[in-house]
Amino acid sequence: MTNQNFSKTSSVDVIHALIKTSHYIQREFEASIASLDMPFQISGPRLRLLLKVSEFGKIRMSELATKLGIKARTVTDFVDALEQEKLLVRQPDPLDRRATLIQLTDYAKDQILKVQMCEKEAADILLRNLSQEQRDNLLHLLLGLTNYNEVQCNFEELI
Amino acid sequence: MTNQNFSKTSSVDVIHALIKTSHYIQREFEASIASLDMPFQISGPRLRLLLKVSEFGKIRMSELATKLGIKARTVTDFVDALEQEKLLVRQPDPLDRRATLIQLTDYAKDQILKVQMCEKEAADILLRNLSQEQRDNLLHLLLGLTNYNEVQCNFEELI
DNA sequence: TATTGTTATACTCTATAACTATA
DNA sequence: TATAGTTATAGAGTATAACAATA
């Protein structure tokens, strides 16, 4: 595993490797989650929304759209589906009668924990060939790549 | 930019950073390509298929499906669309009358060059905060992550 | 007049199942 | 019987546009 082979890398090669690796990881992650055989439909985008709601406790649909980097219309569909699965509930916002607040059910909180344990296992397997130092280094490089770009990556895509 | 902040990184954090960074990069890439204002519909998956055809010169639809990690049925739709855009042509395979060979048009080859120049520009911008050494290092870590996993990443997802 | 969320609609990428023609 | 590609259908994730209720 010599480093020499990869010197004078072109920028496009790095970007392609990044995208390819990420696709591979996403497939593994999604497959792991699917194999959990949860009693509801779960997926990357759905989980991402649930985790965002979890982070805020209560959050407006419009804010959710902004945070996730998707449109309000798209959030409506996700919330419809997840509400039917009993994973979240809509509540009228007492401060603004146009707005709707979203909140996780207790059931959802339990289920998310299971999914997160599964993620942890999958992540450990995926990274098993990297030493702790290499992991630190990889994270450092990834953060350096986005943090210093003027276009902030202020939506969070976890899967 | 000290490295200390990121030590004892959890595996999940690294994976999430990887996926998030990749999504960000894909958006930038797709936006760059869209801004080229090409006379046809281009997108990540379409470009990926075109580049795969370009790599092989002539390739059977079934092989294309395997290489891209998608189903034959999905390839049919892509080829239908791209053939209408005059970017590729179907030819009967002389060796097997069930099979169809796909080939790029000269027009497609020109257009792909433009897209690739655009990719190069976008990649340079995205990586401008990483030194040559850091790029080499990043690529090395990414390859190490996938290469040594038993599940080979033998489809290629460029965007 | 602007914003929140929804109805209506559509597009892209992907899949499975059934079928046709060939091997 | 198996394979290559297509027709038919579906579903997830995303979007825009028009609209109702409210600010």
Side-chain angles (χ1 to χ4, degrees):
Chain A
M1 204 147 100
T2 82
N3 205 357
Q4 311 304 344
N5 309 335
F6 310 111
S7 47
K8 277 296 170 192
T9 312
S10 88
S11 55
V12 172
D13 289 343
V14 178
I15 297 293
H16 282 174
L18 183 54
I19 292 170
K20 188 173 163 183
T21 305
S22 165
H23 282 194
Y24 163 66
I25 281 173
Q26 279 184 84
R27 285 200 182 198
E28 293 296 306
F29 250 49
E30 295 244 8
S32 298
I33 292 170
S35 79
L36 275 181
D37 209 22
M38 304 297 272
F40 49 83
Q41 286 292 343
I42 197 66
S43 68
R46 282 179 183 208
L47 180 59
R48 200 160 75 230
L49 187 143
L50 291 174
L51 291 174
K52 186 55 71 181
V53 177
S54 165
E55 186 184 318
F56 282 78
K58 281 185 186 176
I59 186 171
R60 279 193 192 176
M61 293 182 67
S62 56
E63 198 181 352
L64 206 39
T66 310
K67 297 280 181 195
L68 293 168
I70 59 180
K71 299 295 171 188
R73 180 61 185 83
T74 307
V75 172
T76 296
D77 276 351
F78 275 112
V79 171
D80 283 350
L82 294 168
E83 193 171 33
Q84 250 187 327
E85 305 269 28
K86 309 287 182 204
L87 292 166
L88 48 75
V89 287
R90 281 176 163 100
Q91 294 171 341
D93 186 336
L95 304 177
D96 185 338
R97 286 195 299 173
R98 292 170 306 178
T100 303
L101 291 171
I102 301 303
Q103 200 172 5
L104 292 189
T105 60
D106 289 340
Y107 170 64
K109 290 172 194 166
D110 286 350
Q111 301 301 318
I112 287 174
L113 280 180
K114 284 189 209 165
V115 173
Q116 282 178 319
M117 278 189 294
C118 172
E119 277 193 325
K120 170 75 179 136
E121 269 178 51
D124 284 340
I125 291 172
L126 286 164
L127 292 179
R128 71 181 177 288
N129 297 300
L130 299 189
S131 68
Q132 184 62 51
E133 195 192 346
Q134 285 177 312
R135 295 175 194 198
D136 295 346
N137 213 249
L138 178 54
L139 183 59
H140 177 64
L141 290 168
L142 292 171
L143 295 178
L145 207 160
T146 47
N147 271 355
Y148 307 107
N149 277 305
E150 79 291 344
V151 181
Q152 282 299 329
C153 189
N154 54 6
F155 55 90
E156 280 157 52
E157 319 212 28
L158 297 175
I159 265 205
Chain B
M1 205 148 97
T2 83
N3 206 358
Q4 311 302 345
N5 309 335
F6 310 113
S7 47
K8 278 295 170 195
T9 312
S10 89
S11 54
V12 172
D13 289 343
V14 178
I15 297 293
H16 283 174
L18 185 54
I19 291 170
K20 188 174 164 182
T21 306
S22 165
H23 282 195
Y24 162 65
I25 281 173
Q26 278 184 83
R27 285 201 182 199
E28 292 297 305
F29 251 49
E30 296 243 10
S32 297
I33 292 171
S35 78
L36 274 180
D37 207 22
M38 305 296 272
F40 49 84
Q41 285 293 343
I42 199 64
S43 69
R46 283 180 181 206
L47 180 59
R48 199 160 75 232
L49 187 144
L50 291 174
L51 290 175
K52 187 54 75 182
V53 176
S54 167
E55 188 184 315
F56 282 78
K58 280 183 186 176
I59 187 170
R60 279 193 192 175
M61 292 182 68
S62 54
E63 198 182 350
L64 207 41
T66 309
K67 297 280 180 195
L68 293 169
I70 59 179
K71 299 295 173 189
R73 180 60 185 84
T74 307
V75 171
T76 296
D77 277 350
F78 275 112
V79 171
D80 283 350
L82 294 168
E83 192 170 34
Q84 251 189 325
E85 304 269 28
K86 308 289 181 203
L87 292 166
L88 48 76
V89 286
R90 283 174 162 101
Q91 294 171 339
D93 186 336
L95 304 176
D96 185 338
R97 285 195 300 174
R98 293 171 306 180
T100 303
L101 292 171
I102 302 304
Q103 199 171 5
L104 292 188
T105 60
D106 289 340
Y107 169 64
K109 291 172 195 167
D110 285 350
Q111 301 300 317
I112 288 174
L113 280 181
K114 284 188 211 166
V115 173
Q116 283 179 318
M117 279 189 295
C118 173
E119 278 192 325
K120 172 74 179 135
E121 267 178 52
D124 284 340
I125 291 173
L126 287 164
L127 293 179
R128 71 180 177 286
N129 297 300
L130 300 189
S131 67
Q132 185 62 50
E133 195 191 345
Q134 285 178 312
R135 294 174 194 199
D136 294 345
N137 214 249
L138 178 55
L139 182 61
H140 178 63
L141 290 167
L142 292 172
L143 294 178
L145 206 160
T146 47
N147 273 354
Y148 306 107
N149 277 304
E150 79 293 343
V151 181
Q152 283 299 328
C153 190
N154 53 8
F155 55 89
E156 281 156 53
E157 319 214 27
L158 297 175
I159 265 206

